[in-house]
Amino acid sequence: MIYTVTLNPAIDRLIQTNGLLMKKRTNRVKTIEYDLGGKGFHVSYTLSKLGMENIALGFIGSENQQQMEEILQEKKVTHQLIVEKYAFTRECIVLIDEESQGSTMVTGNGFQVSRDNHEKLISQLKKLLQQDDMLVLAGSLPPNYTLKQLEEIIDVGKVAGSFIACDLSGDALKLAVKMQVNFIKPNQFELEELLPPEKNSIKNRLLALNEKIPYVVASLGKEGSYVAHTGEIYRVIPPMIREVNDTGAGDVFVGSFLAQLAQKAKLETAIAYATVCSASKVTKRNCTDFDLMQAEQMLPMIKIKKLEGKSDAIS
Ligand code: TA6
């Protein structure tokens, strides 16, 4: 089974403005839509869409529980969430304009998780997790949630012997690296934070991380990604597409990559599917959707090259 954990859940409020979105101007709303938010939930949605059984774990606020549950139901996300009383699940505002030239996100902070609820999550994970399972930890930590608490969660996965995938950032990501989880997906800035760029090319930084972490994906947005596994580095160039809303593209990448790994696909197949599914997501208006048929049509348009020698370049 694959378990995703969303510690800091969210409802995405997608606001499309009339005309071009501009600073120092009154931007009038054209449409408003609510969508699933929170990286772990997005990964669950992707997994389900690709036919992979999974359960979304984590927390949900009691005060707007019904709204969040309705979105989860509509998106067919199977979940076993722990309710935090008197708390509101945060809203993340995603702004796109009429021209739909990419999105801007403003994220809420989220609610504090009580000690009791953290303990409940730990016991739930201890009961559920087994060796063949995958544990996916994705998204920001709730306010005042400590690294120690995150460490306890990763520890349960370690003790169970599960495959642990982390899409985390900042100190949480550093902890995941220190604890030698199985998969991380830093972006370019996070990669620089993990290992300073002065002496290190991307390739060397990835190789250093790959000594501890079996799968390292460095995402470069429109520029594609690098993937490191068993000491080999792959440079991935995505298809050229018209960007509408890139919010959630990273989550689709993680979900489709892990779906392929869970099915024991070859690494290059996992990379290819993750790249085209996330490219398809970028062409969609909302924050979760992607189209598998459109994605598969893009398979011949991507380049995956194993890097030889010292160069980071792809020819
Ligand atoms: O990756 C997109 C997204 O999942 C949005 O839906 C939004 O809810 C946001 O990320 C939350 O990110 P955070 O890092 O704050 O957990």
Side-chain angles (χ1 to χ4, degrees):
M1 177 61 80
I2 306 178
Y3 298 100
T4 66
V5 176
T6 308
L7 297 170
N8 200 7
I11 293 170
D12 284 355
R13 187 206 282 245
L14 179 65
I15 301 177
Q16 186 182 32
T17 57
N18 275 317
L20 267 184
L21 184 64
M22 281 165 87
K23 275 190 184 166
K24 297 189 179 183
R25 214 191 70 173
T26 304
N27 294 283
R28 304 258 173 219
V29 171
K30 186 172 181 217
T31 58
I32 297 187
E33 231 174 273
Y34 291 92
D35 198 353
L36 194 62
K39 295 190 160 49
F41 288 161
H42 279 192
V43 172
S44 266
Y45 172 79
T46 303
L47 289 166
S48 304
K49 183 149 177 166
L50 296 172
M52 302 301 295
E53 221 189 322
N54 72 91
I55 299 175
L57 305 175
F59 306 110
I60 180 171
S62 65
E63 300 307 287
N64 51 354
Q65 185 175 351
Q66 197 185 340
Q67 188 191 5
M68 181 84 254
E69 299 250 19
E70 278 168 12
I71 297 173
L72 287 161
Q73 196 181 358
E74 193 191 314
K75 296 280 170 178
K76 299 190 179 68
V77 174
T78 307
H79 56 88
Q80 290 176 20
L81 301 170
I82 298 166
V83 181
E84 188 65 49
K85 278 197 189 142
Y86 314 116
F88 274 94
T89 293
R90 69 188 164 139
E91 261 189 11
C92 292
I93 294 168
V94 182
L95 295 167
I96 55 171
D97 50 37
E98 215 172 351
E99 314 281 312
S100 290
Q101 295 174 338
S103 60
T104 306
M105 191 159 59
V106 185
T107 59
N109 293 329
F111 55 80
Q112 284 196 33
V113 172
S114 61
R115 190 77 225 176
D116 269 9
N117 273 348
H118 167 72
E119 295 304 339
K120 273 191 198 156
L121 177 65
I122 296 293
S123 340
Q124 187 186 33
L125 288 169
K126 280 185 179 160
K127 273 193 213 130
L128 292 172
L129 281 179
Q130 299 194 356
Q131 199 174 359
D132 290 337
D133 293 337
M134 264 190 188
L135 171 66
V136 187
L137 293 167
S140 56
L141 300 188
N144 299 334
Y145 206 78
T146 63
L147 287 178
K148 178 83 190 57
Q149 288 176 297
L150 177 64
E151 187 177 341
E152 283 167 23
I153 296 176
I154 297 178
D155 227 28
V156 182
K158 285 259 162 196
V159 170
S162 311
F163 182 102
I164 307 171
C166 292
D167 186 6
L168 302 168
S169 54
D171 289 340
L173 172 62
K174 285 184 188 152
L175 176 69
V177 171
K178 193 170 130 216
M179 293 186 77
Q180 308 200 348
V181 299
N182 304 83
F183 169 99
I184 56 169
K185 189 186 75 65
N187 62 30
Q188 210 167 355
F189 307 107
E190 289 159 349
L191 195 62
E192 284 171 16
E193 260 180 52
L194 286 174
L195 290 170
E198 295 91 62
K199 306 180 209 88
N200 289 308
S201 63
I202 287 196
K203 193 176 167 190
N204 287 340
R205 276 181 274 157
L206 287 171
L207 285 174
L209 285 169
N210 192 214
E211 279 174 19
K212 297 182 187 164
I213 318 275
Y215 296 91
V216 183
V217 175
S219 56
L220 313 178
K222 284 189 192 81
E223 310 297 319
S225 59
Y226 287 88
V227 179
H229 179 60
T230 58
E232 318 244 53
I233 310 276
Y234 298 81
R235 176 70 176 104
V236 188
I237 305 289
M240 298 266 277
I241 41 140
R242 183 176 169 269
E243 176 177 338
V244 176
N245 176 4
D246 67 341
T247 299
D251 308 331
V252 172
F253 188 104
V254 173
S256 18
F257 187 84
L258 296 176
Q260 292 293 332
L261 286 196
Q263 294 172 91
K264 313 264 181 265
K266 281 191 184 150
L267 181 66
E268 292 200 26
T269 309
I271 298 174
Y273 266 86
T275 303
V276 292
C277 288
S278 100
S280 165
K281 158 69 215 59
V282 174
T283 67
K284 307 288 175 213
R285 221 168 68 96
N286 76 9
C287 304
T288 42
D289 276 350
F290 65 99
D291 173 348
L292 190 55
M293 236 162 58
Q294 178 199 18
E296 284 179 338
Q297 280 164 5
M298 290 193 264
L299 281 170
M301 300 175 207
I302 62 172
K303 274 190 186 174
I304 303 176
K305 191 177 173 200
K306 207 187 274 188
L307 296 183
E308 313 285 348
K310 286 194 176 131
S311 156
D312 287 341
I314 181 165
S315 49

